[in-house]
Amino acid sequence: MLRKLWLNSVAMSVAVCLGLLGLLLAGVDGEYVLRNGGGNEGGGSSVATVAVFSYHGSVGIGWTHSDVWFEDEFSVRTWIALLIAVALPACYVVQRIRRRRHRAAGCCPQCGYDLRASPTRCPECGTAVVPGDQATA
């Protein structure tokens, strides 16, 4: 369950990275309404209008109860958002590289403990090791 959540989070983060990179390279400016609350100039609405925007190298989200202005917004430079979004896929790649090294070195695939003395079960975490699952050093 946690592995599936981790992989879905990495996939979403990659999608966000690609979208931010596209905005950064294309230099797109504009507002994109996510949910229209139906407010108008004369009054307001009890349901907020939420919009994602990209202006002058910044991306953000804003919300309002009227169609005239944003009541509040949160924005950050696009390149900073891209660095934050790329952190999760980078952690995933580092984790995969470390796990591959442990397997190749004859270590437990779960915790990385050296299995040369006990090739059938890890004495550290108790994981049963399937023959052929790890290479001997």
Side-chain angles (χ1 to χ4, degrees), residues 39-53:
N40 55 31
E41 291 184 32
S45 171
S46 60
V47 180
T49 296
V50 180
V52 177
F53 60 86

Side-chain angles (χ1 to χ4, degrees), residues 2-33:
L2 286 176
R3 180 167 170 79
K4 190 174 185 178
L5 179 64
W6 170 249
L7 291 176
N8 286 340
S9 299
V10 169
M12 286 296 294
S13 189
V14 167
V16 168
C17 286
L18 293 175
L20 287 171
L21 189 60
L23 283 175
L24 192 62
L25 294 176
V28 175
D29 279 352
E31 237 172 66
Y32 310 97
V33 175

Side-chain angles (χ1 to χ4, degrees), residues 30-101:
E31 237 172 66
Y32 310 97
V33 175
L34 298 177
R35 186 180 89 186
N36 191 350
N40 55 31
E41 291 184 32
S45 171
S46 60
V47 180
T49 296
V50 180
V52 177
F53 60 86
S54 171
Y55 289 127
H56 309 295
S58 293
V59 293
I61 187 167
W63 52 92
T64 185
H65 285 87
S66 75
D67 286 342
V68 181
W69 66 87
F70 283 132
E71 290 176 10
D72 210 352
E73 66 183 44
F74 172 78
S75 66
V76 66
R77 301 295 294 177
T78 305
W79 64 271
I80 293 174
L82 186 61
L83 286 177
I84 292 169
V86 84
L88 195 60
C91 289
Y92 177 74
V93 168
V94 168
Q95 179 188 24
R96 293 287 300 216
I97 291 170
R98 285 183 179 170
R99 188 171 287 159
R100 186 170 291 164
R101 280 189 196 155

